[in-house]
Amino acid sequence: MDRLVKADVKEVNLSFSKGHKCSTTFRLTNLMHTMSVAVSLTSSNPSIFSFVQSLSIIPPLSTSSFTLLLSQPSDQPPLSSPLDTVLVRTCMLPTGKAHQDDLRRLFSRPGPHIFKDATIPISFVGPHVVEFLLSSSYKSLEIAFLLPKAISWCDKSQLTSLLRSAARKGNSHLVSALIEAGADVNGKESGSPSVMSLAVQSGNIDVVQLLIESGYIMENSADRLLHDAAAMNRVDLMEILCLGYVDIELNSVDDHGRTALHVAAINGHVEVLRFLVGVGSDPTVVDSNGWTPLHFASSEGHFEAVDFLLNNSTYVKYALTREGKTAFTIAVDKGYSNLYDLLHLNDVLHRAARLNDVTGMKSCIAEGAKVNSRDQNGWTPLHRAAFKGGLESIKLLLDQGAQIDLVDDAGYTAFHRAVEAGHLQVALYLVASGARANVKGLKGKVLSDLDCFKNHPSLVTSFRLEEEIA
């Protein structure tokens, strides 16, 4: 005979709850038609598990229930790999009666009269077990072994709550398992971020992709997904979000009226700024205090971010906050002198060069203005002075290190601009100072082909230019 009793389960599932007494019940059936059976229950870990009645007698063809207890309440399930087990031992009892001491003596003597009828694994199940596996240092193989059973004992609301925790942790394996088990990716929790927001904040792109593929519905009025990705400098997350949600609102604002572009500017994340502007974000949007992204980039001293924003919005440098401050004023308040030229001195120097105001130029350069800075058309102060015929300004600029042959956005040098405006003495001075009279202009045209020379043929003669200059 192989066994005297049969268990009604192949595995004992113990629903674990933090800090509470945990127990579970299973049943054993006597397979003998005419004889009672004595039963002894022990666990592989008696310090953790106990039984309400470890020794019992089951009458012929009868069934008895047995309760397994977790000995002490705990904040975490005492998981083990391999699993702990319940050992069921039996012995035929012809008399059908025996005291507990008799049964104890019966099972204390090994021999052929003792049957080992079953070894039943003990599994901890329920949401608290899943939470523990999520936060523990268990290896992936162990989790893969323990997780499915623990999840199978969770209802839909528990699965959805666990999904939020898994998304927050960036655990793609658990997120996938929970969704497959029935967790609602669009489930809401009052006052808390969405599961997608938690996934983005975790930085795990696989979890974000899983949620998109599983039907997460983005809400432009509530989700601040681009804001979160911008704060982390994660262009890859922003790309997958824009691909997954073609109707994503690029200029959505948070509680302070700030867009994702504001967030990127605050953190100086230039690649994020490039991406957002590239897909259509507006660099001139102001927050609830009238601050543009440029104001924030200036406030934090982010030179590259300031430079990028200026290049993508010509007039944003003049925008005023509610307190009446420009980005330049804010940079001055914070002492970021490396931004002065970009935000203000560049304009002042160009204006002084246009007016041939040598004193103003000297003062501006002394404050830190860059002599080779460009305006929105690519003109340097030297272009400006040459076009206006300001010889003294040109002398000062060259003395201060101005590069003589820089070209503007149209492909013209300061020499071109002097010729265009008919300023012969300025043009001659520039050539004498090293400007190349035979430099090619826009699209490779030689100077004699350019409109500036056609308008002033005497200059062509003065420079003895040939029809084609290589």
Side-chain angles (χ1 to χ4, degrees):
M1 181 178 292
D2 294 329
R3 57 182 177 173
L4 304 179
V5 298
K6 178 182 178 180
D8 68 337
V9 295
K10 293 183 178 180
E11 190 171 72
V12 176
N13 294 306
L14 191 60
S15 184
F16 177 80
S17 183
K18 292 179 182 178
H20 291 81
K21 293 181 178 180
C22 306
S23 64
T24 187
T25 300
F26 60 97
R27 295 184 300 172
L28 298 175
T29 300
N30 183 353
L31 300 178
M32 303 295 291
H33 287 71
T34 59
M35 192 174 298
S36 295
V37 172
V39 176
S40 170
L41 302 177
T42 56
S43 75
S44 57
N45 198 337
S47 63
I48 294 178
F49 302 103
S50 60
F51 298 90
V52 171
Q53 189 175 3
S54 61
L55 297 169
S56 182
I57 300 173
I58 306 177
L61 297 178
S62 296
T63 299
S64 295
S65 296
F66 298 87
T67 301
L68 176 69
L69 302 170
L70 187 62
S71 299
Q72 295 294 331
S74 174
D75 287 335
Q76 61 186 45
L79 301 177
S80 64
S81 180
L83 297 176
D84 287 318
T85 57
V86 172
L87 176 61
V88 180
R89 294 186 300 159
T90 60
C91 181
M92 288 184 287
L93 196 65
T95 62
K97 296 180 180 180
H99 294 291
Q100 288 289 306
D101 288 341
D102 297 329
L103 294 176
R104 195 172 292 111
R105 284 192 294 270
L106 178 65
F107 286 104
S108 66
R109 300 192 304 271
H113 63 288
I114 302 296
F115 292 79
K116 294 182 179 180
D117 277 24
T119 301
I120 310 172
I122 303 171
S123 289
F124 287 96
V125 296
H128 289 183
V129 178
V130 180
E131 286 181 0
F132 175 73
L133 290 173
L134 179 60
S135 61
S136 72
S137 58
Y138 272 77
K139 297 178 182 178
S140 58
L141 288 177
E142 293 171 333
I143 290 178
F145 171 66
L146 297 169
L147 186 62
K149 178 65 72 172
I151 287 179
S152 68
W153 281 64
C154 301
D155 61 30
K156 186 166 185 174
S157 64
Q158 291 170 335
L159 291 171
T160 301
S161 178
L162 289 167
L163 179 63
R164 296 174 57 81
S165 297
R168 183 183 290 109
K169 289 282 187 179
N171 189 320
S172 58
H173 172 73
L174 185 51
V175 165
S176 178
L178 289 166
I179 292 174
E180 186 175 346
D184 182 4
V185 296
N186 291 299
K188 304 298 180 184
E189 193 170 292
S190 179
S192 298
S194 67
V195 67
M196 180 62 88
S197 291
L198 295 171
V200 172
Q201 290 166 16
S202 80
N204 190 311
I205 197 166
D206 292 333
V207 174
V208 173
Q209 184 66 56
L210 270 171
L211 293 175
I212 292 174
E213 293 173 353
S214 299
Y216 177 79
I217 300 172
M218 186 198 64
E219 294 184 22
N220 278 314
S221 61
D223 284 327
R224 299 290 173 262
L225 308 181
L226 293 179
H227 290 71
D228 294 334
M232 298 186 295
N233 200 23
R234 292 292 300 276
V235 173
D236 56 340
L237 286 175
M238 303 179 91
E239 288 175 340
I240 198 171
L241 288 169
C242 289
L243 288 172
Y245 302 105
V246 294
D247 59 342
I248 193 169
E249 177 52 60
L250 298 172
N251 295 309
S252 65
V253 297
D254 60 16
D255 294 339
H256 302 286
R258 297 170 188 169
T259 66
L261 208 59
H262 283 94
V263 175
I266 291 170
N267 292 281
H269 295 156
V270 180
E271 290 305 313
V272 173
L273 292 174
R274 287 197 182 97
F275 175 82
L276 287 171
V277 171
V279 296
S281 293
D282 185 357
T284 67
V285 171
V286 298
D287 71 357
S288 54
N289 291 315
W291 283 50
T292 65
L294 180 64
H295 285 102
F296 281 109
S298 302
S299 176
E300 299 298 326
H302 297 311
F303 182 90
E304 290 186 28
V306 168
D307 188 35
F308 174 82
L309 290 166
L310 287 172
N311 287 333
N312 284 274
S313 180
T314 304
Y315 302 107
V316 71
K317 69 168 71 175
Y318 307 114
L320 297 176
T321 67
R322 286 191 174 181
E323 296 178 342
K325 293 188 176 184
T326 63
F328 171 72
T329 308
I330 291 172
V332 171
D333 290 345
K334 293 294 187 74
Y336 293 124
S337 58
N338 63 321
L339 300 180
Y340 295 174
D341 181 60
L342 286 174
L343 294 170
H344 180 65
L345 295 180
N346 180 8
D347 290 347
V348 176
L349 182 59
H350 277 257
R351 188 181 305 113
R354 186 178 72 246
L355 299 173
N356 199 27
D357 179 5
V358 175
T359 300
M361 293 174 67
K362 287 181 179 179
S363 175
C364 194
I365 292 170
E367 290 182 40
K370 310 300 181 186
V371 294
N372 293 306
S373 59
R374 298 177 181 273
D375 65 9
Q376 64 270 23
N377 299 310
W379 282 33
T380 65
L382 193 65
H383 283 89
R384 188 74 61 186
F387 185 72
K388 288 295 184 178
L391 187 57
E392 294 305 313
S393 294
I394 287 172
K395 290 178 180 179
L396 173 65
L397 289 167
L398 292 175
D399 184 61
Q400 292 295 321
Q403 296 180 40
I404 201 167
D405 283 325
L406 289 179
V407 296
D408 61 18
D409 291 349
Y412 292 140
T413 65
F415 172 73
H416 289 93
R417 294 305 179 187
V419 172
E420 179 184 19
H423 300 305
L424 177 59
Q425 294 303 314
V426 170
L428 288 170
Y429 183 82
L430 287 169
V431 171
S433 299
R436 291 178 291 165
N438 64 340
V439 68
K440 289 185 177 183
L442 186 65
K443 297 180 181 178
K445 282 187 175 182
V446 293
L447 296 183
S448 57
D449 289 334
L450 297 175
D451 290 339
C452 60
F453 274 88
K454 291 176 180 178
N455 293 335
H456 302 282
S458 61
L459 291 178
V460 179
T461 303
S462 298
F463 289 112
R464 298 188 300 276
L465 292 171
E466 298 178 359
E467 182 64 21
E468 294 288 339
I469 302 175

